[in-house]
Amino acid sequence: MAGCCSVLAAFLFEYDTPRIVLIRSRKVGLMNRAVQLLILAYVIGCHRACFTEVKMEPPPPWVFLWEKGYQEMDSVVSSVTTKAKGVTVTNTSKLGFRIWDVADYVIPAQEENSLFIMTNMIVTTNQTQGHCPETPEETNVCESDAKCVAGSTGTHSNGVQTGKCVPFNGTVKTCEVAGWCPVESDTLVPKPACLKAAENFTLLVKNNIWYPKFNFSKRNILPNITTTYLKSCIYDAVTDPFCPIFRLGKIVEDAGHSFQDMAVEGGIIGIQIRWDCNLDRATSLCLPKYSFRRLDTRDTDHNVSPGYNFRFAKYYSDPAGTEHRTLIKAYGIRFDIIVFGKAGKFDIIPTMINIGSGLALLGVTTVLCDVIVLYCMKKKYYYREKKYKYVEDYEQGIDSEMDR
Ligand SMILES: *[C@@H]1O[C@H](CO)[C@@H](O)[C@H](O)[C@H]1NC(C)=O
């Protein structure tokens, strides 16, 4: 009972306070300030500069944080439209003299954040439903009807086998199929690409962006761009970095590839538009930054199924009512427009949070200096003596007290 009362008494009538040890030493004092300075520098300045490779626009000198910890951030919302321009001509034995314009080579006519330009093709004209020999391949070359199974199909076949073995040309016989005849022969990709002149086609990219948190919107056709400038300019990273019209050849070149090589079997190119805006500064400084990269990886030592292609057909009927089609295996370059970026604007809440966490980080100084003073310095035993008040275990304490 008495013990209980004394605890209560201690709780009510006693006050404890931590003791602070002041070490009067130049060495320790300077060390403490140096560590504080380092941590302060980290909090204020080089957060990002010291520890990542990401190159950002240089910070304004008065900014207490490179990270812009005083700013509210928002990511971009965007919409993109594209328009290609250019005309070329081909003269082949199969198609004759032919003009190609936008409606011919942009497939489909419009897409979201993307644009496909056909650069190469295998055209199979005038197909009708009927019976004809398969293209010669290991599985369908035959000597007699015995090898051909009526009704069978393979994943690569152009139709359903009829069970007959028929001559494909003078030397080879193949299984006959029911399908769109004559079947496509896609063994050889035209090289150079049929529409190699697509290199000089241009692409206008219109991009509107919006930062919802700050209700800030802008577009990549900047206010100072005039109609006459827009009619004649071509993007160039150095001379015309804000012209929204791109030469296809230049895009692929800037991505580090050859347009003519890529045109043969197709591929995918990313047009990246980066909007990093500091809305504490003039809005005219919020500008798009274009960069380009090839998105389909192309290893020179593993060139299996390279490029990008697909098939489509155009259907028509002759006066007799028979259905015909023109089959096109299209190779080309798909341009994906990728818009990203962040905007920041001063806000009191992130500022407070960041100042708070910065101050908390300063607490690390005490821990660090304690470790050095008490464990690493020459006079560590002396300092320990001063810092700690040594107390014996209870029973031992009683014993030694009695011994006295
Ligand atoms: C593209 O245009 C340039 C200059 O006008 C010309 O020299 C080049 O031959 C053209 N490229 C193709 C593939 O036609």
Side-chain angles (χ1 to χ4, degrees):
M1 230 21 221
C4 191
C5 280
S6 70
V7 168
L8 189 67
F11 178 73
L12 285 176
F13 305 128
E14 281 170 15
Y15 168 68
D16 54 50
T17 175
R19 184 160 68 164
I20 289 172
V21 178
L22 183 76
I23 300 177
R24 282 227 171 84
S25 152
R26 271 188 205 176
K27 210 159 128 193
V28 178
L30 283 177
M31 184 181 68
N32 174 43
R33 292 293 168 223
V35 172
Q36 274 181 343
L37 209 67
L38 272 178
I39 291 178
L40 212 64
Y42 169 76
V43 169
I44 291 179
C46 64
H47 226 70
R48 173 171 294 162
C50 302
F51 299 105
T52 63
E53 294 286 294
V54 183
K55 280 269 182 293
M56 298 287 289
E57 51 182 55
W62 50 271
V63 167
F64 77 91
L65 301 159
W66 185 296
E67 274 272 28
K68 305 219 175 77
Y70 61 92
Q71 282 187 333
E72 179 78 72
M73 301 302 281
D74 194 10
S75 352
V76 74
V77 176
S78 113
S79 71
V80 172
T81 59
T82 56
K83 187 185 277 181
K85 287 229 161 97
V87 178
T88 185
V89 75
T90 59
N91 200 350
T92 58
S93 53
K94 201 186 246 169
L95 296 172
F97 184 83
R98 209 188 141 115
I99 300 285
W100 296 85
D101 69 5
V102 181
D104 297 320
Y105 59 72
V106 175
I107 307 159
Q110 62 151 349
E111 263 181 288
E112 196 183 345
N113 295 343
S114 192
L115 174 94
F116 177 83
I117 305 253
M118 181 163 72
T119 53
N120 206 1
M121 76 210 90
I122 293 169
V123 183
T124 313
T125 49
N126 213 11
Q127 284 187 321
T128 52
Q129 297 259 331
H131 290 183
C132 52
E134 238 328 349
T135 39
E137 256 172 48
E138 226 174 280
T139 48
N140 50 39
V141 173
C142 57
E143 278 85 46
S144 67
D145 291 355
K147 188 149 181 252
C148 303
V149 184
S152 77
T153 65
T155 42
H156 294 283
S157 55
N158 288 298
V160 180
Q161 290 193 7
T162 57
K164 278 192 219 146
C165 186
V166 292
F168 176 76
N169 55 25
T171 49
V172 191
K173 283 172 101 182
T174 61
C175 292
E176 189 189 58
V177 289
W180 286 96
C181 291
V183 297
E184 181 190 73
S185 163
D186 69 345
T187 43
L188 272 184
V189 183
K191 199 172 180 183
C194 302
L195 303 181
K196 60 178 186 297
E199 183 180 31
N200 283 338
F201 293 173
T202 61
L203 178 63
L204 166 65
V205 176
K206 290 204 245 178
N207 175 213
N208 286 273
I209 58 130
W210 180 39
Y211 284 107
K213 244 184 221 170
F214 312 122
N215 197 18
F216 174 83
S217 53
K218 195 155 182 175
R219 61 185 198 144
N220 69 334
I221 300 176
L222 302 172
N224 59 350
I225 289 181
T226 60
T227 315
T228 29
Y229 175 72
L230 198 60
K231 272 198 180 123
S232 60
C233 77
I234 292 287
Y235 171 85
D236 184 288
V238 180
T239 58
D240 287 280
F242 302 116
C243 176
I245 299 175
F246 304 88
R247 207 178 124 257
L248 300 191
K250 177 90 180 139
I251 294 177
V252 178
E253 210 175 277
D254 283 4
H257 290 264
S258 147
F259 185 90
Q260 292 308 337
D261 279 355
M262 201 170 170
V264 174
E265 290 192 306
I268 302 169
I269 291 274
I271 300 178
Q272 298 162 313
I273 310 180
R274 179 178 193 147
W275 290 88
D276 277 336
C277 297
N278 182 349
L279 297 180
D280 288 334
R281 296 199 282 167
T283 53
S284 59
L285 293 173
C286 176
L287 295 167
K289 202 166 176 312
Y290 302 98
S291 56
F292 313 95
R293 62 179 294 133
R294 187 165 179 172
L295 298 180
D296 62 318
T297 47
R298 176 97 191 239
D299 300 335
T300 34
D301 53 342
H302 186 75
N303 202 10
V304 177
S305 186
Y308 175 40
N309 68 73
F310 58 88
R311 286 185 179 81
F312 67 100
K314 291 185 267 194
Y315 297 83
Y316 56 95
S317 299
D318 63 13
T322 318
E323 190 183 22
H324 294 252
R325 76 173 190 186
T326 303
L327 178 69
I328 299 173
K329 181 174 184 185
Y331 296 84
I333 303 176
R334 198 178 76 201
F335 295 91
D336 289 352
I337 294 125
I338 303 155
V339 183
F340 60 104
K342 274 205 170 113
K345 197 173 192 176
F346 173 79
D347 194 278
I348 192 71
I349 293 170
T351 309
M352 285 306 176
I353 291 172
N354 278 294
I355 290 177
S357 62
L359 290 180
L361 209 56
L362 278 181
V364 172
T365 318
T366 320
V367 178
L368 212 67
C369 289
D370 271 9
V371 167
I372 296 173
V373 169
L374 299 174
Y375 296 99
C376 306
M377 290 185 74
K378 230 187 277 163
K379 289 194 274 181
K380 58 190 171 193
Y381 296 110
Y382 175 68
Y383 290 136
R384 270 193 235 176
E385 187 97 355
K386 292 290 175 195
K387 179 162 166 75
Y388 299 118
K389 185 168 169 56
Y390 293 92
V391 177
E392 301 303 324
D393 198 6
Y394 182 67
E395 266 110 42
Q396 263 180 342
I398 301 270
D399 289 349
S400 51
E401 209 92 321
M402 283 177 165
D403 287 350
R404 235 181 247 176

